Amino acid sequence: MNPYAIDVDLLIVGGTIVTMNAEREVIVNGAIGITNGKIDIMGTRNIVVKNTRPKRVINAAGKVIIPGLINTHTHVPMALFRGISDDLDLNDWLTKFIFPAEAKNVDEKFVRAGARLGMAEMIRGGTTTYCDMYYFEDAIAEETKKAGMRGVLGETIIQFPVSDNKTPTEAIAYTEKFIKRWQNDPLIVAAAAPHAPYTVSTDDLKKIREQSDRFNSPVIIHVAETKKERDDILAQYGKTPAEYLDSIGFLSNRTIAAHSVWLTPAEINIYKTRGVGSAHCPQSNMKLASGVAAIPAMLAADIAVGIGTDGAASNNDLDMWDEMDSAAKLHKLTSNDPKTLPAELAFEMATIRGARALKLDKITGSLEAGKRADIVIVDMDSLNQTPYYNVYSALVYSTKATDVRTVIINGRIVMLDRRLLTLNERAIKIDANAYREKIIKSLGN
Amino acid sequence: MNPYAIDVDLLIVGGTIVTMNAEREVIVNGAIGITNGKIDIMGTRNIVVKNTRPKRVINAAGKVIIPGLINTHTHVPMALFRGISDDLDLNDWLTKFIFPAEAKNVDEKFVRAGARLGMAEMIRGGTTTYCDMYYFEDAIAEETKKAGMRGVLGETIIQFPVSDNKTPTEAIAYTEKFIKRWQNDPLIVAAAAPHAPYTVSTDDLKKIREQSDRFNSPVIIHVAETKKERDDILAQYGKTPAEYLDSIGFLSNRTIAAHSVWLTPAEINIYKTRGVGSAHCPQSNMKLASGVAAIPAMLAADIAVGIGTDGAASNNDLDMWDEMDSAAKLHKLTSNDPKTLPAELAFEMATIRGARALKLDKITGSLEAGKRADIVIVDMDSLNQTPYYNVYSALVYSTKATDVRTVIINGRIVMLDRRLLTLNERAIKIDANAYREKIIKSLGN
């Protein structure tokens, strides 16, 4: 026995650790000791094992240990609308299906059921942090905390009456209470989520920025998702969306700008200057024919751009593995260069760069001593991963959500050997199917 | 007991049958009776159950029953090169990794091990038929027959010396014996596979067409995969690739033209006139930055265009679910219209239209009495599929390869409740990992 060994709550032993630290170290046959929810000690197996007295051990031999994935943009309760309508014009999709379905079904109980469904899918796929924009976000925060997930959760503020708040003023007041309630929570970051530049007034956007300054809280917003939005904003304000937002003092290093498909080089420069984080949603942008964001240019400018699935109604899943694969392939195609967005960079976007986008990179997004223990253990012996030559390539191009074995968030095991520990999968499915019946009835015929 | 009931070898009972017949019938709570490898009786559960005396029953209640998926283009043994090199220029990828790795490793034993690996992955994902182009194709045919898969298997004919044949003349002679050996086989269709218009001489292409006429056998070829190929052929022959192939009398309704990324409208018309089938490989074309095939135009001309994964070295998996999802999304994006390539049409490409491309639509690609029993039972209750509103949407946008439960090919159960019955998964992985070591050594450092 080593008398200088330290006590740890949990020791992960064996496996290849993909740290995603600044040096991009990969530790073959490593070990990680976790205490009080944080990574206490990390290194090669022999050294860590000699120097720790663990309460509990997880054997990860032959597996790959990665930072938990970070889904930088979704609308988690929309999992209940998964596949409710597809292959339609954006306007038909929104006005004939999504908006009526929301108006008739969304309440606090609905968002709780939808959040549980979406989180169960995300945890199964190794996502440990997500960034959300929806209604009744305080209830979503409660569910997220119960599930043990990390969330940057934004209450929607929008010009027309919605399920929880009837005016932007009400929504801003809701957000104020919401942010106050969750200050200093270890898992939840409460935020405002003004829907988009075309659905929130200049005055309200200014109020939201002011609120964010008072609380040092993030602000989540859709920016330049479609060409129409870009053209409309240009016609209305004489400026492109990010230029307009910057001109009214809205953008800051606490802004998380989803999509950002139609940015000009000047707007990318604004993102860089203001420290705006961004969420790239390749599959949703493809499925809704929104366009292709200039990700290579954004990365060249070192913008903190993460990867997001968007809501399940426009994807139709919350699978970050698919999303990484799509991102890496899409930008090769559009840049006409197979060297664009190599696997390691796509994986970086789904981990540490995504954490930067959410301003959480001090606590998550990489495996380093001192950070919170958001850790995912991935099987690497499925047929689809066999054989494997390069760990980043195997992760991005060959690994599937179902290859995720064990998920730890903030030191707590939330999935062990593919069994969810904080969410009741059977009950979640029963709830979801009951909502399905209700939603179909609510839309008539 | 019904005295008029017929004996069937296997009865699948319950579940939603997605027939993909001409009327696109979907039978809720159906049943399928199989005898001598063929679909004998099919319809609603009550009627079929009353009229059959089964030797064996599979309960598919709550599941979805689909025609086996058809992978219209791959190089199956290249599963052993999965991820050996990624994110490189096409030329570096081929000349620094793929060609040397092939030259130093490919022999009959290698293609057998690679074929078993690739087929195990394909069966796990519900693929029942695949179209291949590689070396030692006769050995691949033997492995395919042992695994119980259906294959259109093309022996590569190429201008430079390769592992099995040193000249195109040798390769054409090999193909002659190969085709003769497998004539009238219930699972294997042997074929010639001239690599591409730029790697096989005009004379040899003519000889291959003549051989195909004598045996009524398919011919598999890469056509217009890259802009460079298109430009080179245009410079050399004054014609675009499909124009050139047609001008030498090469194209027929037995041609299976993979990729076909850079076709002109005139060439699409040539495909239509000649009855050429095609294989669309969206993920490989994205990953290698080859371009986007004009699939909407090809479909508008009713070309038999299926979906293919291409080899695992350029994908990096053999997952037809991912491929359908990518196809549906990619063409929405490039056509700037979210109505393009709706889920049902993407599913059609992966089933009956793919069967047409391979000239196998009389025996597979849809579930109809009289066709061979190539049937896949899919779980529909994973979190990523919950809830589900529309069966095609759920299949294309939400279902994963791991949701496939049971696979039947030509009436034989090759996977039951996710257990492979004709292939030894453990032995396949051991072989693959041994090859991994050998391949790494063969490339030096």
Side-chain angles (χ1 to χ4, degrees):
Chain A
M1 286 295 288
N2 170 1
Y4 304 105
I6 58 168
D7 291 305
V8 292
D9 297 335
L10 178 63
L11 188 66
I12 303 170
V13 172
T16 297
I17 306 174
V18 178
T19 66
M20 299 310 287
N21 66 13
E23 296 75 28
R24 296 290 180 268
E25 278 175 277
V26 174
I27 304 170
V28 176
N29 201 15
I32 304 177
I34 297 160
T35 301
N36 292 327
K38 119 179 171 299
I39 298 175
D40 222 22
I41 178 170
M42 212 181 89
T44 54
R45 179 183 181 137
N46 284 346
I47 291 174
V48 173
V49 166
K50 259 184 218 153
N51 289 289
T52 47
R53 268 187 313 267
K55 290 200 187 99
R56 183 174 184 174
V57 172
I58 292 180
N59 182 359
K63 311 205 181 297
V64 170
I65 304 165
I66 62 170
L69 302 178
I70 296 184
N71 186 347
T72 53
H73 186 63
T74 190
H75 311 277
V76 69
M78 294 185 84
L80 290 170
F81 297 134
R82 184 198 309 280
I84 194 178
S85 61
D86 293 299
D87 309 322
L88 293 174
D89 276 328
L90 190 62
N91 195 52
D92 284 354
W93 178 71
L94 277 174
T95 60
K96 292 187 186 162
F97 290 91
I98 299 300
F99 289 158
E102 287 189 330
K104 287 167 181 163
N105 294 284
V106 174
D107 58 17
E108 195 181 302
K109 218 173 135 226
F110 174 98
V111 304
R112 288 182 189 274
R116 288 192 296 262
L117 174 62
M119 287 191 291
E121 184 188 353
M122 285 195 277
I123 291 173
R124 273 217 167 287
T127 296
T128 56
T129 297
Y130 75 108
C131 180
D132 199 56
M133 174 196 281
Y134 212 60
Y135 309 108
F136 301 101
E137 204 69 38
D138 192 55
I140 295 174
E142 287 180 2
E143 294 299 324
T144 303
K145 191 164 174 72
K146 268 193 257 175
M149 272 193 93
R150 196 178 298 288
V152 177
L153 307 175
E155 169 67 15
T156 300
I157 301 163
I158 193 161
Q159 213 71 284
F160 53 81
V162 288
S163 311
D164 52 354
N165 293 300
K166 299 310 158 199
T167 64
T169 305
E170 271 185 48
I172 292 170
Y174 177 110
T175 305
E176 182 102 1
K177 274 170 62 182
F178 175 47
I179 294 172
K180 280 184 184 160
R181 177 177 174 194
W182 295 96
Q183 276 179 313
N184 305 313
D185 189 88
L187 287 171
I188 306 302
V189 177
H195 174 265
Y198 64 96
T199 48
V200 184
S201 72
T202 306
D203 268 3
D204 287 329
L205 289 171
K206 286 179 176 172
K207 281 180 201 155
I208 292 160
R209 166 69 202 252
E210 179 274 325
Q211 184 185 59
S212 156
D213 286 344
R214 279 189 289 117
F215 293 105
N216 196 29
S217 57
V219 177
I220 302 156
I221 184 166
H222 296 124
V223 179
E225 181 174 357
T226 64
K227 185 169 181 300
K228 181 176 179 341
E229 172 187 342
R230 200 267 314 263
D231 294 347
D232 288 353
I233 293 284
L234 194 57
Q236 192 176 351
Y237 299 105
K239 295 185 171 71
T240 53
E243 280 176 351
Y244 155 66
L245 290 173
D246 196 43
S247 73
I248 63 167
F250 177 79
L251 300 176
S252 79
N253 66 0
R254 294 182 309 280
T255 311
I256 301 160
H259 302 300
S260 305
V261 172
W262 290 88
L263 297 190
T264 60
E267 288 175 291
I268 292 175
N269 200 42
I270 290 172
Y271 274 32
K272 187 176 172 57
T273 310
R274 300 299 174 200
V276 169
S278 190
H280 176 43
C281 305
Q283 294 206 343
S284 168
N285 297 160
M286 291 170 81
K287 185 158 181 279
L288 300 175
S290 306
V292 182
I295 299 302
M298 292 172 84
L299 291 171
D302 197 28
I303 307 289
V305 50
I307 289 178
T309 58
D310 207 353
S314 55
N315 190 318
N316 296 342
D317 58 43
L318 304 175
D319 183 334
M320 285 289 290
W321 300 93
D322 271 6
E323 213 67 38
M324 275 190 265
D325 182 79
S326 291
K329 287 172 177 161
L330 177 62
H331 296 285
K332 290 169 177 38
L333 177 74
T334 52
S335 67
N336 194 26
D337 182 356
K339 298 188 300 304
T340 301
L341 207 39
E344 184 180 329
L345 189 48
F347 193 68
E348 176 187 305
M349 289 175 72
T351 54
I352 185 63
R353 195 174 282 268
R356 260 180 68 195
L358 304 187
K359 330 297 163 191
L360 289 177
D361 50 313
K362 287 213 168 63
I363 64 166
T364 190
S366 62
L367 301 178
E368 304 182 61
K371 279 201 170 183
R372 307 308 301 171
D374 295 351
I375 302 173
V376 170
I377 303 174
V378 183
D379 282 334
M380 202 45 80
D381 66 347
S382 292
L383 287 163
N384 47 279
Q385 297 167 306
T386 303
Y388 100 81
Y389 293 89
N390 172 287
V391 72
Y392 296 110
S393 165
L395 288 167
V396 171
Y397 298 125
S398 306
T399 297
K400 309 288 175 181
T402 41
D403 295 316
V404 171
R405 171 150 295 273
T406 290
V407 177
I408 297 162
I409 306 176
N410 209 40
R412 180 182 183 190
I413 305 172
V414 296
M415 182 166 85
L416 183 67
D417 291 329
R418 299 208 51 71
R419 199 162 47 87
L420 295 178
L421 302 183
T422 59
L423 288 161
N424 181 335
E425 189 164 334
R426 191 162 167 273
I428 285 169
K429 287 176 181 169
I430 291 170
D431 278 1
N433 288 320
Y435 269 110
R436 174 184 179 278
E437 299 308 312
K438 186 174 174 294
I439 292 163
I440 290 172
K441 275 198 196 110
S442 78
L443 291 175
N445 60 61
Chain B
M1 286 295 288
N2 171 0
Y4 304 105
I6 58 167
D7 290 305
V8 293
D9 297 335
L10 177 63
L11 188 66
I12 302 170
V13 172
T16 297
I17 305 175
V18 178
T19 66
M20 299 310 287
N21 67 11
E23 296 76 27
R24 297 288 181 269
E25 277 175 279
V26 174
I27 304 171
V28 177
N29 201 13
I32 304 177
I34 297 161
T35 300
N36 293 328
K38 119 179 170 302
I39 298 174
D40 222 22
I41 177 170
M42 212 181 87
T44 54
R45 177 182 182 139
N46 284 346
I47 291 173
V48 173
V49 167
K50 259 182 219 154
N51 289 290
T52 48
R53 267 188 314 267
K55 290 200 188 104
R56 183 175 184 173
V57 172
I58 292 180
N59 182 0
K63 312 206 180 297
V64 170
I65 303 165
I66 62 170
L69 302 178
I70 296 183
N71 185 349
T72 53
H73 186 63
T74 190
H75 310 279
V76 67
M78 295 186 85
L80 290 171
F81 297 134
R82 183 198 308 280
I84 194 178
S85 60
D86 293 299
D87 309 323
L88 293 174
D89 276 329
L90 191 62
N91 196 51
D92 284 353
W93 178 70
L94 278 174
T95 60
K96 292 188 185 162
F97 290 91
I98 300 301
F99 289 158
E102 287 188 331
K104 288 167 181 164
N105 295 282
V106 174
D107 59 18
E108 195 179 303
K109 218 174 135 223
F110 175 98
V111 303
R112 288 183 188 274
R116 288 192 295 264
L117 174 63
M119 286 191 291
E121 184 188 352
M122 285 195 278
I123 291 173
R124 273 219 168 284
T127 296
T128 56
T129 297
Y130 75 107
C131 180
D132 199 55
M133 174 196 281
Y134 212 60
Y135 310 108
F136 300 100
E137 204 69 36
D138 192 56
I140 296 174
E142 287 179 0
E143 293 299 326
T144 303
K145 191 164 174 72
K146 267 193 256 175
M149 271 193 95
R150 196 178 297 287
V152 177
L153 307 176
E155 169 66 16
T156 299
I157 301 163
I158 194 162
Q159 213 70 288
F160 53 82
V162 288
S163 311
D164 52 354
N165 293 300
K166 299 310 159 201
T167 64
T169 304
E170 272 185 48
I172 292 171
Y174 177 111
T175 305
E176 183 102 0
K177 275 169 62 182
F178 175 48
I179 294 172
K180 279 185 184 157
R181 177 176 175 196
W182 295 96
Q183 276 180 314
N184 305 314
D185 190 88
L187 287 171
I188 306 301
V189 177
H195 175 264
Y198 65 97
T199 48
V200 184
S201 73
T202 307
D203 268 5
D204 288 328
L205 288 171
K206 285 179 175 170
K207 282 181 200 151
I208 292 160
R209 165 68 201 253
E210 179 275 322
Q211 184 185 58
S212 155
D213 286 344
R214 280 189 289 117
F215 292 106
N216 196 29
S217 56
V219 178
I220 302 157
I221 184 167
H222 296 123
V223 179
E225 182 175 358
T226 64
K227 186 169 181 298
K228 181 177 181 338
E229 170 187 341
R230 200 267 314 264
D231 294 346
D232 287 353
I233 292 285
L234 193 58
Q236 191 176 352
Y237 299 105
K239 295 186 172 70
T240 53
E243 280 176 351
Y244 155 67
L245 290 173
D246 197 42
S247 74
I248 62 166
F250 177 81
L251 299 176
S252 80
N253 66 0
R254 293 182 310 278
T255 312
I256 301 160
H259 301 301
S260 303
V261 172
W262 290 89
L263 298 190
T264 60
E267 289 176 291
I268 291 174
N269 200 42
I270 290 172
Y271 275 32
K272 187 175 173 58
T273 310
R274 300 298 174 201
V276 170
S278 190
H280 176 43
C281 306
Q283 293 205 344
S284 168
N285 296 161
M286 292 170 81
K287 186 158 180 282
L288 300 176
S290 306
V292 181
I295 299 304
M298 292 172 84
L299 291 170
D302 198 26
I303 307 289
V305 51
I307 289 178
T309 57
D310 207 354
S314 56
N315 189 318
N316 293 346
D317 57 44
L318 303 175
D319 183 334
M320 285 289 289
W321 301 93
D322 270 7
E323 213 68 37
M324 276 190 265
D325 182 78
S326 291
K329 287 173 178 161
L330 177 61
H331 296 285
K332 289 169 177 40
L333 177 74
T334 53
S335 67
N336 194 25
D337 182 354
K339 299 188 300 302
T340 301
L341 206 39
E344 184 179 329
L345 190 47
F347 193 68
E348 176 187 305
M349 289 175 72
T351 54
I352 185 64
R353 194 173 283 268
R356 259 180 67 196
L358 304 187
K359 330 297 164 190
L360 289 177
D361 50 312
K362 287 212 169 63
I363 64 166
T364 190
S366 62
L367 301 178
E368 304 182 61
K371 280 202 169 181
R372 306 310 300 171
D374 295 351
I375 302 173
V376 170
I377 303 174
V378 183
D379 282 333
M380 202 43 83
D381 67 346
S382 292
L383 286 164
N384 47 279
Q385 298 167 306
T386 303
Y388 101 81
Y389 293 89
N390 173 287
V391 72
Y392 295 109
S393 165
L395 288 168
V396 171
Y397 298 125
S398 306
T399 297
K400 310 286 174 182
T402 40
D403 295 317
V404 171
R405 170 151 293 275
T406 290
V407 177
I408 296 162
I409 306 176
N410 209 41
R412 180 183 184 192
I413 305 172
V414 296
M415 182 167 84
L416 183 66
D417 291 329
R418 299 206 53 68
R419 199 162 47 88
L420 295 177
L421 302 183
T422 57
L423 288 161
N424 180 337
E425 190 166 333
R426 196 166 162 271
I428 285 170
K429 287 176 182 171
I430 290 170
D431 279 1
N433 288 320
Y435 269 110
R436 175 184 178 279
E437 300 308 312
K438 185 173 175 296
I439 292 163
I440 290 173
K441 274 196 198 113
S442 78
L443 291 176
N445 62 59

PDB file of all heavy atoms in Angstrom, chain A residues 326-337:
ATOM      1  N   SER A 326     -21.698  14.309 -40.166  1.00  0.00           N
ATOM      2  CA  SER A 326     -22.276  15.158 -41.214  1.00  0.00           C
ATOM      3  C   SER A 326     -21.487  16.453 -41.366  1.00  0.00           C
ATOM      4  O   SER A 326     -21.252  16.915 -42.482  1.00  0.00           O
ATOM      5  CB  SER A 326     -23.734  15.508 -40.885  1.00  0.00           C
ATOM      6  OG  SER A 326     -24.540  14.368 -40.979  1.00  0.00           O
ATOM      7  N   ALA A 327     -21.102  17.059 -40.248  1.00  0.00           N
ATOM      8  CA  ALA A 327     -20.344  18.315 -40.312  1.00  0.00           C
ATOM      9  C   ALA A 327     -19.041  18.086 -41.072  1.00  0.00           C
ATOM     10  O   ALA A 327     -18.699  18.838 -41.992  1.00  0.00           O
ATOM     11  CB  ALA A 327     -20.070  18.848 -38.907  1.00  0.00           C
ATOM     12  N   ALA A 328     -18.321  17.048 -40.696  1.00  0.00           N
ATOM     13  CA  ALA A 328     -17.015  16.790 -41.320  1.00  0.00           C
ATOM     14  C   ALA A 328     -17.171  16.563 -42.819  1.00  0.00           C
ATOM     15  O   ALA A 328     -16.370  17.058 -43.619  1.00  0.00           O
ATOM     16  CB  ALA A 328     -16.343  15.586 -40.665  1.00  0.00           C
ATOM     17  N   LYS A 329     -18.206  15.836 -43.217  1.00  0.00           N
ATOM     18  CA  LYS A 329     -18.382  15.514 -44.636  1.00  0.00           C
ATOM     19  C   LYS A 329     -18.932  16.710 -45.429  1.00  0.00           C
ATOM     20  O   LYS A 329     -18.511  16.971 -46.557  1.00  0.00           O
ATOM     21  CB  LYS A 329     -19.297  14.299 -44.790  1.00  0.00           C
ATOM     22  CG  LYS A 329     -18.596  13.009 -44.388  1.00  0.00           C
ATOM     23  CD  LYS A 329     -19.536  11.817 -44.338  1.00  0.00           C
ATOM     24  CE  LYS A 329     -18.751  10.546 -43.992  1.00  0.00           C
ATOM     25  NZ  LYS A 329     -19.605   9.469 -43.485  1.00  0.00           N
ATOM     26  N   LEU A 330     -19.874  17.427 -44.842  1.00  0.00           N
ATOM     27  CA  LEU A 330     -20.524  18.531 -45.556  1.00  0.00           C
ATOM     28  C   LEU A 330     -19.515  19.603 -45.964  1.00  0.00           C
ATOM     29  O   LEU A 330     -19.557  20.126 -47.080  1.00  0.00           O
ATOM     30  CB  LEU A 330     -21.613  19.141 -44.662  1.00  0.00           C
ATOM     31  CG  LEU A 330     -22.351  20.361 -45.220  1.00  0.00           C
ATOM     32  CD1 LEU A 330     -23.090  20.016 -46.505  1.00  0.00           C
ATOM     33  CD2 LEU A 330     -23.340  20.902 -44.173  1.00  0.00           C
ATOM     34  N   HIS A 331     -18.604  19.933 -45.063  1.00  0.00           N
ATOM     35  CA  HIS A 331     -17.687  21.041 -45.376  1.00  0.00           C
ATOM     36  C   HIS A 331     -16.555  20.614 -46.306  1.00  0.00           C
ATOM     37  O   HIS A 331     -15.978  21.464 -46.990  1.00  0.00           O
ATOM     38  CB  HIS A 331     -17.202  21.704 -44.093  1.00  0.00           C
ATOM     39  CG  HIS A 331     -18.352  22.329 -43.366  1.00  0.00           C
ATOM     40  ND1 HIS A 331     -18.930  23.489 -43.796  1.00  0.00           N
ATOM     41  CD2 HIS A 331     -19.100  21.895 -42.314  1.00  0.00           C
ATOM     42  CE1 HIS A 331     -19.967  23.776 -43.011  1.00  0.00           C
ATOM     43  NE2 HIS A 331     -20.095  22.823 -42.113  1.00  0.00           N
ATOM     44  N   LYS A 332     -16.257  19.326 -46.339  1.00  0.00           N
ATOM     45  CA  LYS A 332     -15.364  18.828 -47.392  1.00  0.00           C
ATOM     46  C   LYS A 332     -16.019  19.072 -48.750  1.00  0.00           C
ATOM     47  O   LYS A 332     -15.400  19.580 -49.689  1.00  0.00           O
ATOM     48  CB  LYS A 332     -15.112  17.333 -47.203  1.00  0.00           C
ATOM     49  CG  LYS A 332     -14.248  16.996 -45.993  1.00  0.00           C
ATOM     50  CD  LYS A 332     -14.274  15.514 -45.720  1.00  0.00           C
ATOM     51  CE  LYS A 332     -13.378  15.074 -44.583  1.00  0.00           C
ATOM     52  NZ  LYS A 332     -13.270  15.921 -43.416  1.00  0.00           N
ATOM     53  N   LEU A 333     -17.288  18.688 -48.826  1.00  0.00           N
ATOM     54  CA  LEU A 333     -18.023  18.836 -50.090  1.00  0.00           C
ATOM     55  C   LEU A 333     -18.083  20.291 -50.528  1.00  0.00           C
ATOM     56  O   LEU A 333     -17.744  20.627 -51.660  1.00  0.00           O
ATOM     57  CB  LEU A 333     -19.440  18.268 -49.917  1.00  0.00           C
ATOM     58  CG  LEU A 333     -20.348  18.429 -51.127  1.00  0.00           C
ATOM     59  CD1 LEU A 333     -19.951  17.455 -52.222  1.00  0.00           C
ATOM     60  CD2 LEU A 333     -21.813  18.209 -50.745  1.00  0.00           C
ATOM     61  N   THR A 334     -18.542  21.162 -49.621  1.00  0.00           N
ATOM     62  CA  THR A 334     -18.798  22.538 -50.059  1.00  0.00           C
ATOM     63  C   THR A 334     -17.502  23.320 -50.280  1.00  0.00           C
ATOM     64  O   THR A 334     -17.487  24.273 -51.050  1.00  0.00           O
ATOM     65  CB  THR A 334     -19.725  23.287 -49.078  1.00  0.00           C
ATOM     66  OG1 THR A 334     -19.184  23.165 -47.764  1.00  0.00           O
ATOM     67  CG2 THR A 334     -21.115  22.686 -49.083  1.00  0.00           C
ATOM     68  N   SER A 335     -16.416  22.887 -49.625  1.00  0.00           N
ATOM     69  CA  SER A 335     -15.131  23.565 -49.872  1.00  0.00           C
ATOM     70  C   SER A 335     -14.375  22.898 -51.016  1.00  0.00           C
ATOM     71  O   SER A 335     -13.290  23.355 -51.386  1.00  0.00           O
ATOM     72  CB  SER A 335     -14.271  23.530 -48.610  1.00  0.00           C
ATOM     73  OG  SER A 335     -13.879  22.199 -48.334  1.00  0.00           O
ATOM     74  N   ASN A 336     -14.932  21.789 -51.511  1.00  0.00           N
ATOM     75  CA  ASN A 336     -14.278  21.048 -52.597  1.00  0.00           C
ATOM     76  C   ASN A 336     -12.877  20.594 -52.191  1.00  0.00           C
ATOM     77  O   ASN A 336     -11.957  20.594 -53.000  1.00  0.00           O
ATOM     78  CB  ASN A 336     -14.233  21.941 -53.854  1.00  0.00           C
ATOM     79  CG  ASN A 336     -13.887  21.163 -55.102  1.00  0.00           C
ATOM     80  OD1 ASN A 336     -14.140  19.947 -55.159  1.00  0.00           O
ATOM     81  ND2 ASN A 336     -13.305  21.816 -56.078  1.00  0.00           N
ATOM     82  N   ASP A 337     -12.724  20.217 -50.942  1.00  0.00           N
ATOM     83  CA  ASP A 337     -11.405  19.829 -50.425  1.00  0.00           C
ATOM     84  C   ASP A 337     -11.567  18.792 -49.315  1.00  0.00           C
ATOM     85  O   ASP A 337     -12.046  19.108 -48.224  1.00  0.00           O
ATOM     86  CB  ASP A 337     -10.689  21.073 -49.884  1.00  0.00           C
ATOM     87  CG  ASP A 337      -9.292  20.757 -49.366  1.00  0.00           C
ATOM     88  OD1 ASP A 337      -8.900  19.571 -49.346  1.00  0.00           O
ATOM     89  OD2 ASP A 337      -8.592  21.710 -48.972  1.00  0.00           O
TER      90      ASP A 337
END
